Coordinates of all heavy atoms in Angstrom, one line a residue:
N792 N 4.3 5.6 -5.6 CA 4.3 5.6 -7.0 C 3.1 6.3 -7.7 O 3.1 6.5 -8.9 CB 4.4 4.2 -7.6 CG 5.7 3.6 -7.3 OD1 6.7 4.3 -7.4 ND2 5.7 2.3 -7.0
A793 N 2.2 6.9 -6.9 CA 1.0 7.5 -7.4 C 1.4 8.8 -8.1 O 0.7 9.2 -9.1 CB 0.0 7.8 -6.3
S794 N 2.4 9.5 -7.6 CA 2.7 10.8 -8.2 C 3.4 10.7 -9.5 O 4.3 9.9 -9.7 CB 3.6 11.6 -7.2 OG 4.1 12.8 -7.9
Q795 N 3.0 11.4 -10.5 CA 3.6 11.4 -11.8 C 4.7 12.5 -11.9 O 5.4 12.6 -12.9 CB 2.6 11.6 -12.9 CG 1.6 10.5 -13.0 CD 2.2 9.2 -13.3 OE1 3.0 9.0 -14.1 NE2 1.7 8.1 -12.5
T796 N 4.8 13.3 -10.9 CA 5.7 14.5 -11.0 C 6.7 14.5 -9.8 O 6.7 15.4 -9.0 CB 4.9 15.8 -11.0 OG1 4.1 15.9 -9.8 CG2 4.1 15.9 -12.2
K797 N 7.4 13.4 -9.6 CA 8.3 13.3 -8.5 C 9.5 14.2 -8.8 O 10.0 14.3 -10.0 CB 8.8 11.9 -8.4 CG 7.8 10.9 -8.0 CD 8.4 9.5 -7.9 CE 7.3 8.5 -8.1 NZ 7.8 7.2 -8.4
P798 N 10.1 14.8 -7.8 CA 11.3 15.5 -8.0 C 12.5 14.6 -8.4 O 12.5 13.4 -8.0 CB 11.6 16.1 -6.6 CG 10.4 16.0 -5.8 CD 9.6 14.8 -6.4
R799 N 13.4 15.1 -9.2 CA 14.5 14.3 -9.5 C 15.6 14.6 -8.5 O 15.9 15.8 -8.2 CB 15.0 14.7 -10.9 CG 16.2 13.9 -11.4 CD 16.6 14.3 -12.8 NE 17.8 13.6 -13.1 CZ 18.6 13.9 -14.1 NH1 18.3 14.9 -14.9 NH2 19.7 13.2 -14.4
V800 N 16.2 13.6 -7.9 CA 17.3 13.8 -6.9 C 18.6 13.1 -7.5 O 18.5 12.0 -7.9 CB 16.9 13.2 -5.6 CG1 18.0 13.3 -4.6 CG2 15.6 13.8 -5.1
T801 N 19.7 13.9 -7.4 CA 20.9 13.4 -7.9 C 22.0 13.6 -6.8 O 22.0 14.7 -6.2 CB 21.4 14.1 -9.2 OG1 20.3 14.1 -10.1 CG2 22.6 13.5 -9.8
F802 N 22.8 12.6 -6.6 CA 23.8 12.7 -5.5 C 25.2 12.8 -6.2 O 25.5 12.1 -7.2 CB 23.7 11.4 -4.7 CG 24.7 11.4 -3.5 CD1 24.4 12.1 -2.4 CD2 25.9 10.7 -3.6 CE1 25.3 12.1 -1.3 CE2 26.8 10.7 -2.5 CZ 26.5 11.4 -1.4
Y803 N 26.0 13.7 -5.7 CA 27.4 13.8 -6.2 C 28.4 13.6 -5.1 O 28.1 14.1 -4.0 CB 27.6 15.3 -6.8 CG 26.6 15.6 -7.9 CD1 25.3 16.1 -7.6 CD2 27.0 15.5 -9.2 CE1 24.4 16.4 -8.6 CE2 26.1 15.9 -10.2 CZ 24.8 16.3 -9.9 OH 23.9 16.7 -10.9
E804 N 29.5 12.9 -5.4 CA 30.5 12.7 -4.3 C 31.9 13.0 -4.9 O 32.2 12.7 -6.0 CB 30.4 11.2 -3.9 CG 31.2 10.9 -2.7 CD 31.0 9.5 -2.2 OE1 30.9 8.6 -3.0 OE2 30.9 9.3 -1.0
K805 N 32.7 13.6 -4.0 CA 34.0 14.0 -4.4 C 34.0 15.2 -5.3 O 33.1 15.4 -6.0 CB 34.9 12.8 -4.9 CG 35.0 11.7 -3.9 CD 35.9 10.6 -4.5 CE 35.9 9.4 -3.5 NZ 36.6 8.3 -4.0
W806 N 35.1 15.9 -5.3 CA 35.2 17.1 -6.1 C 34.9 16.9 -7.6 O 34.3 17.7 -8.2 CB 36.6 17.8 -5.9 CG 36.7 19.0 -6.8 CD1 37.7 19.2 -7.8 CD2 35.9 20.2 -6.9 NE1 37.5 20.4 -8.4 CE2 36.4 21.0 -7.9 CE3 34.8 20.6 -6.1 CZ2 35.9 22.2 -8.2 CZ3 34.2 21.8 -6.5 CH2 34.8 22.6 -7.5
E807 N 35.4 15.8 -8.2 CA 35.2 15.6 -9.6 C 33.8 15.6 -10.0 O 33.4 16.1 -11.0 CB 35.9 14.3 -10.0 CG 37.4 14.3 -9.9 CD 37.9 14.2 -8.4 OE1 37.2 13.7 -7.6 OE2 39.1 14.7 -8.2
Q808 N 32.9 15.0 -9.2 CA 31.5 14.9 -9.4 C 30.8 16.3 -9.1 O 30.0 16.8 -9.8 CB 30.8 13.8 -8.7 CG 31.2 12.4 -9.2 CD 30.5 11.3 -8.5 OE1 29.6 11.6 -7.7 NE2 30.9 10.1 -8.8
V809 N 31.2 16.8 -7.9 CA 30.6 18.1 -7.5 C 30.9 19.2 -8.5 O 30.0 20.0 -8.7 CB 31.1 18.5 -6.1 CG1 30.7 19.9 -5.7 CG2 30.6 17.5 -5.0
Q810 N 32.0 19.2 -9.1 CA 32.4 20.2 -10.1 C 31.3 20.2 -11.2 O 31.1 21.3 -11.9 CB 33.8 19.9 -10.6 CG 34.3 21.1 -11.4 CD 35.8 20.9 -11.8 OE1 36.3 19.8 -11.8 NE2 36.4 22.0 -12.2
E811 N 30.7 19.1 -11.5 CA 29.6 19.0 -12.5 C 28.5 20.0 -12.3 O 27.9 20.6 -13.2 CB 29.1 17.6 -12.7 CG 30.1 16.6 -13.3 CD 30.5 17.0 -14.7 OE1 29.6 17.5 -15.5 OE2 31.7 16.9 -15.0
I812 N 28.3 20.3 -11.0 CA 27.2 21.3 -10.6 C 27.6 22.7 -11.1 O 26.8 23.4 -11.7 CB 27.0 21.3 -9.1 CG1 26.4 19.9 -8.7 CG2 26.1 22.5 -8.7 CD1 26.4 19.7 -7.2
Y813 N 28.9 23.0 -11.0 CA 29.3 24.3 -11.4 C 29.3 24.4 -12.9 O 28.9 25.5 -13.5 CB 30.7 24.6 -10.9 CG 30.7 24.8 -9.4 CD1 31.0 23.7 -8.5 CD2 30.4 26.0 -8.8 CE1 30.9 23.8 -7.2 CE2 30.3 26.1 -7.4 CZ 30.6 25.0 -6.6 OH 30.5 25.2 -5.3
F814 N 29.6 23.3 -13.6 CA 29.4 23.3 -15.1 C 28.0 23.5 -15.5 O 27.6 24.2 -16.4 CB 30.0 22.0 -15.7 CG 31.4 21.8 -15.5 CD1 31.9 20.5 -15.4 CD2 32.3 22.8 -15.4 CE1 33.3 20.2 -15.2 CE2 33.7 22.6 -15.2 CZ 34.2 21.3 -15.1
D815 N 27.1 22.9 -14.7 CA 25.6 23.0 -15.0 C 25.2 24.4 -14.8 O 24.4 24.9 -15.6 CB 24.9 22.0 -14.1 CG 23.4 22.0 -14.4 OD1 23.0 21.7 -15.6 OD2 22.5 22.2 -13.5
I816 N 25.6 25.1 -13.7 CA 25.3 26.5 -13.5 C 25.7 27.3 -14.7 O 24.9 28.2 -15.2 CB 26.0 27.0 -12.2 CG1 25.3 26.4 -11.0 CG2 25.9 28.6 -12.2 CD1 26.0 26.7 -9.7
L817 N 26.9 27.1 -15.3 CA 27.3 27.8 -16.4 C 26.5 27.5 -17.7 O 26.2 28.4 -18.5 CB 28.8 27.6 -16.7 CG 29.8 28.0 -15.6 CD1 31.2 27.6 -15.9 CD2 29.7 29.5 -15.4
R818 N 26.1 26.3 -17.8 CA 25.3 25.9 -19.0 C 23.9 26.5 -18.9 O 23.3 26.9 -19.9 CB 25.1 24.4 -19.0 CG 26.2 23.6 -19.7 CD 25.9 22.2 -20.0 NE 25.5 21.4 -18.8 CZ 26.4 20.8 -18.0 NH1 27.7 20.8 -18.2 NH2 26.0 20.2 -16.9
E819 N 23.3 26.5 -17.7 CA 21.9 27.0 -17.5 C 21.8 28.5 -17.7 O 20.7 29.0 -18.1 CB 21.4 26.7 -16.1 CG 21.2 25.2 -15.8 CD 19.9 24.7 -16.4 OE1 19.0 25.4 -16.5 OE2 19.9 23.5 -16.7
K820 N 22.8 29.2 -17.5 CA 22.9 30.7 -17.7 C 21.7 31.4 -17.0 O 21.2 32.4 -17.6 CB 22.9 31.0 -19.2 CG 24.1 30.4 -19.9 CD 24.1 30.8 -21.4 CE 25.3 30.2 -22.0 NZ 25.4 30.5 -23.5
Q821 N 21.4 31.0 -15.8 CA 20.4 31.7 -15.1 C 21.0 32.2 -13.8 O 22.0 31.7 -13.3 CB 19.2 30.7 -14.7 CG 18.5 30.2 -15.9 CD 17.4 29.3 -15.4 OE1 16.7 29.6 -14.5 NE2 17.1 28.2 -16.2
G822 N 20.4 33.3 -13.2 CA 20.9 33.8 -12.0 C 20.8 32.8 -10.9 O 20.0 31.8 -10.9
V823 N 21.8 32.9 -10.0 CA 21.9 31.9 -8.8 C 21.8 32.7 -7.5 O 22.3 33.8 -7.4 CB 23.2 31.2 -8.9 CG1 23.4 30.2 -7.7 CG2 23.5 30.5 -10.2
V824 N 21.0 32.2 -6.6 CA 21.0 32.7 -5.2 C 21.4 31.6 -4.3 O 21.2 30.4 -4.6 CB 19.6 33.3 -4.9 CG1 19.2 34.4 -5.8 CG2 18.5 32.2 -4.8
G825 N 21.9 31.9 -3.1 CA 22.3 30.9 -2.2 C 22.8 31.4 -0.9 O 22.9 32.6 -0.6
W826 N 23.2 30.4 -0.1 CA 23.9 30.6 1.1 C 25.3 30.0 0.9 O 25.5 28.9 0.4 CB 23.2 29.8 2.3 CG 22.0 30.5 2.8 CD1 21.9 31.4 3.8 CD2 20.6 30.2 2.4 NE1 20.6 31.7 4.0 CE2 19.8 31.0 3.1 CE3 20.1 29.4 1.4 CZ2 18.4 31.0 3.0 CZ3 18.7 29.4 1.2 CH2 17.9 30.2 2.0
S827 N 26.3 30.8 1.3 CA 27.7 30.3 1.1 C 28.6 30.5 2.4 O 28.3 31.4 3.1 CB 28.4 31.1 0.0 OG 27.8 30.8 -1.2
D828 N 29.5 29.7 2.5 CA 30.6 29.8 3.5 C 31.9 29.8 2.7 O 32.4 28.8 2.3 CB 30.6 28.7 4.5 CG 31.6 28.9 5.6 OD1 32.6 29.5 5.4 OD2 31.3 28.3 6.7
Y829 N 32.4 31.0 2.4 CA 33.5 31.2 1.5 C 34.8 30.6 2.1 O 35.7 30.2 1.3 CB 33.7 32.7 1.2 CG 32.6 33.2 0.3 CD1 31.8 34.2 0.7 CD2 32.5 32.7 -1.0 CE1 30.7 34.6 -0.1 CE2 31.5 33.2 -1.8 CZ 30.6 34.1 -1.4 OH 29.6 34.6 -2.2
E830 N 34.9 30.5 3.4 CA 36.1 29.9 4.0 C 36.3 28.4 3.5 O 37.4 28.0 3.1 CB 36.0 29.9 5.5 CG 36.0 31.2 6.2 CD 37.3 31.9 6.2 OE1 38.4 31.2 6.1 OE2 37.3 33.1 6.3
Y831 N 35.2 27.7 3.5 CA 35.3 26.2 3.1 C 35.3 26.0 1.6 O 36.0 25.2 1.1 CB 34.2 25.4 3.8 CG 34.5 25.2 5.2 CD1 34.0 26.1 6.2 CD2 35.3 24.1 5.6 CE1 34.3 25.9 7.5 CE2 35.6 24.0 7.0 CZ 35.1 24.9 7.9 OH 35.4 24.7 9.2
S832 N 34.5 26.8 0.9 CA 34.4 26.6 -0.5 C 35.7 26.9 -1.2 O 36.2 26.2 -2.1 CB 33.3 27.4 -1.2 OG 33.4 28.8 -0.9
R833 N 36.4 28.0 -0.7 CA 37.7 28.3 -1.3 C 38.7 27.2 -1.1 O 39.5 26.9 -2.0 CB 38.1 29.7 -0.7 CG 39.4 30.2 -1.3 CD 39.7 31.6 -0.9 NE 39.8 31.7 0.5 CZ 40.1 32.8 1.1 NH1 40.4 33.9 0.4 NH2 40.2 32.9 2.4
K834 N 38.7 26.6 0.1 CA 39.7 25.6 0.4 C 39.5 24.4 -0.5 O 40.4 23.8 -1.0 CB 39.5 25.1 1.9 CG 40.1 26.1 2.9 CD 39.8 25.6 4.3 CE 40.1 26.7 5.3 NZ 39.7 26.3 6.7
V835 N 38.2 24.0 -0.7 CA 37.9 22.8 -1.5 C 38.1 23.0 -3.0 O 38.7 22.2 -3.7 CB 36.5 22.3 -1.2 CG1 36.1 21.1 -2.1 CG2 36.4 21.8 0.3
M836 N 37.7 24.1 -3.4 CA 37.7 24.4 -4.9 C 39.0 24.8 -5.4 O 39.3 24.7 -6.6 CB 36.6 25.5 -5.2 CG 35.2 25.0 -5.0 SD 34.0 26.4 -5.2 CE 34.0 26.6 -6.9
G837 N 39.9 25.2 -4.6 CA 41.3 25.6 -5.1 C 41.3 26.6 -6.1 O 40.5 27.6 -6.0
A838 N 42.0 26.5 -7.2 CA 42.1 27.4 -8.3 C 40.8 27.6 -9.0 O 40.5 28.7 -9.6 CB 43.2 27.0 -9.3
Y839 N 40.0 26.6 -9.0 CA 38.7 26.7 -9.7 C 37.8 27.7 -9.0 O 36.8 28.3 -9.7 CB 38.0 25.3 -9.8 CG 36.8 25.3 -10.7 CD1 36.9 25.5 -12.1 CD2 35.5 25.2 -10.2 CE1 35.8 25.5 -12.9 CE2 34.4 25.2 -11.0 CZ 34.6 25.4 -12.4 OH 33.5 25.4 -13.2
Y840 N 38.0 28.0 -7.8 CA 37.2 29.0 -7.0 C 37.2 30.4 -7.8 O 36.1 30.9 -8.1 CB 37.9 29.2 -5.7 CG 37.2 30.1 -4.7 CD1 36.0 29.8 -4.1 CD2 37.7 31.4 -4.4 CE1 35.4 30.6 -3.2 CE2 37.1 32.2 -3.5 CZ 36.0 31.8 -2.9 OH 35.4 32.7 -2.0
E841 N 38.3 30.9 -8.2 CA 38.4 32.2 -8.9 C 38.0 32.0 -10.4 O 37.3 32.8 -10.9 CB 39.8 32.8 -8.8 CG 40.1 33.3 -7.4 CD 39.2 34.4 -6.9 OE1 38.8 35.2 -7.8 OE2 38.9 34.5 -5.7
E842 N 38.4 30.9 -10.9 CA 38.1 30.6 -12.3 C 36.6 30.6 -12.6 O 36.1 31.1 -13.5 CB 38.8 29.3 -12.7 CG 38.5 28.9 -14.2 CD 39.1 27.5 -14.5 OE1 40.1 27.1 -13.9 OE2 38.5 26.8 -15.3
F843 N 35.9 29.9 -11.7 CA 34.4 29.8 -11.8 C 33.8 31.2 -11.7 O 32.9 31.5 -12.5 CB 33.8 28.8 -10.8 CG 32.3 28.8 -10.8 CD1 31.6 28.2 -11.8 CD2 31.6 29.5 -9.8 CE1 30.3 28.2 -11.9 CE2 30.2 29.5 -9.8 CZ 29.5 28.9 -10.9
A844 N 34.2 32.0 -10.7 CA 33.7 33.3 -10.6 C 33.9 34.2 -11.8 O 32.9 34.9 -12.2 CB 34.3 34.0 -9.3
R845 N 35.0 34.1 -12.4 CA 35.3 34.9 -13.6 C 34.5 34.4 -14.8 O 33.9 35.2 -15.5 CB 36.8 34.8 -14.0 CG 37.7 35.7 -13.1 CD 39.1 35.7 -13.7 NE 39.8 34.4 -13.8 CZ 40.4 33.8 -12.8 NH1 40.6 34.4 -11.7 NH2 41.0 32.7 -13.0
E846 N 34.4 33.1 -14.9 CA 33.6 32.5 -16.0 C 32.1 32.8 -15.9 O 31.4 33.1 -16.8 CB 33.8 31.0 -16.2 CG 33.2 30.4 -17.4 CD 33.7 31.0 -18.7 OE1 34.8 31.4 -18.8 OE2 32.9 31.0 -19.7
R847 N 31.6 32.7 -14.7 CA 30.2 33.0 -14.4 C 29.9 34.5 -14.7 O 28.9 34.8 -15.4 CB 29.9 32.7 -12.9 CG 28.4 32.9 -12.5 CD 28.2 32.7 -11.1 NE 29.1 33.3 -10.2 CZ 29.3 34.6 -10.0 NH1 28.5 35.5 -10.6 NH2 30.2 35.1 -9.2
A848 N 30.8 35.4 -14.3 CA 30.6 36.8 -14.6 C 30.7 37.1 -16.1 O 29.9 37.9 -16.7 CB 31.6 37.6 -13.9
K849 N 31.6 36.4 -16.8 CA 31.8 36.6 -18.2 C 30.5 36.2 -19.0 O 30.2 36.8 -20.0 CB 33.0 35.7 -18.7 CG 33.3 35.7 -20.1 CD 34.5 34.9 -20.4 CE 34.6 34.5 -21.9 NZ 35.7 33.6 -22.1
R850 N 29.8 35.2 -18.4 CA 28.6 34.7 -19.0 C 27.3 35.5 -18.5 O 26.2 35.1 -18.8 CB 28.4 33.2 -18.8 CG 29.4 32.4 -19.5 CD 29.2 30.9 -19.2 NE 30.3 30.1 -19.7 CZ 30.2 28.9 -20.1 NH1 29.1 28.3 -20.1 NH2 31.3 28.2 -20.5
N851 N 27.6 36.5 -17.8 CA 26.6 37.4 -17.2 C 25.6 36.7 -16.3 O 24.4 36.9 -16.4 CB 25.9 38.1 -18.4 CG 25.2 39.4 -18.0 OD1 25.8 40.1 -17.1 ND2 24.1 39.8 -18.6
I852 N 26.1 35.8 -15.5 CA 25.2 35.1 -14.5 C 25.5 35.7 -13.2 O 26.5 35.6 -12.6 CB 25.6 33.6 -14.5 CG1 25.4 33.0 -15.9 CG2 24.8 32.8 -13.5 CD1 26.0 31.6 -16.0
L853 N 24.4 36.4 -12.7 CA 24.5 37.0 -11.4 C 24.4 36.0 -10.3 O 23.6 35.1 -10.3 CB 23.4 38.1 -11.2 CG 23.2 38.7 -9.8 CD1 24.4 39.6 -9.5 CD2 21.9 39.5 -9.8
Y854 N 25.2 36.2 -9.2 CA 25.2 35.3 -8.0 C 24.9 36.2 -6.8 O 25.7 37.1 -6.6 CB 26.4 34.5 -7.8 CG 26.4 33.7 -6.6 CD1 25.3 32.9 -6.2 CD2 27.5 33.7 -5.7 CE1 25.3 32.1 -5.1 CE2 27.5 32.9 -4.5 CZ 26.4 32.1 -4.2 OH 26.3 31.4 -3.1
R855 N 23.8 36.0 -6.2 CA 23.5 36.7 -4.9 C 23.6 35.7 -3.8 O 22.9 34.7 -3.7 CB 22.1 37.3 -5.0 CG 21.9 38.3 -6.1 CD 20.7 39.1 -6.2 NE 19.5 38.3 -5.9 CZ 18.4 38.8 -5.4 NH1 18.3 40.1 -5.1 NH2 17.3 38.1 -5.1

Side-chain angles (χ1 to χ4, degrees):
N792 288 324
S794 173
Q795 298 299 317
T796 58
K797 294 178 202 164
R799 180 176 178 197
V800 179
T801 309
F802 185 80
Y803 302 83
E804 189 175 42
K805 300 182 182 173
W806 173 242
E807 295 74 23
Q808 289 182 10
V809 169
Q810 192 174 17
E811 290 298 319
I812 293 165
Y813 293 95
F814 297 150
D815 188 53
I816 289 170
L817 296 175
R818 277 190 304 272
E819 291 284 330
K820 297 182 181 179
Q821 297 184 38
V823 180
V824 299
W826 283 270
S827 291
D828 186 332
Y829 292 114
E830 295 286 338
Y831 285 92
S832 55
R833 182 169 59 176
K834 287 177 190 174
V835 172
M836 294 173 71
Y839 190 67
Y840 181 77
E841 291 296 327
E842 181 184 329
F843 173 75
R845 284 191 301 273
E846 186 61 29
R847 185 184 42 71
K849 180 178 162 185
R850 295 181 189 209
N851 204 33
I852 301 169
L853 174 65
Y854 177 46
R855 298 189 318 154

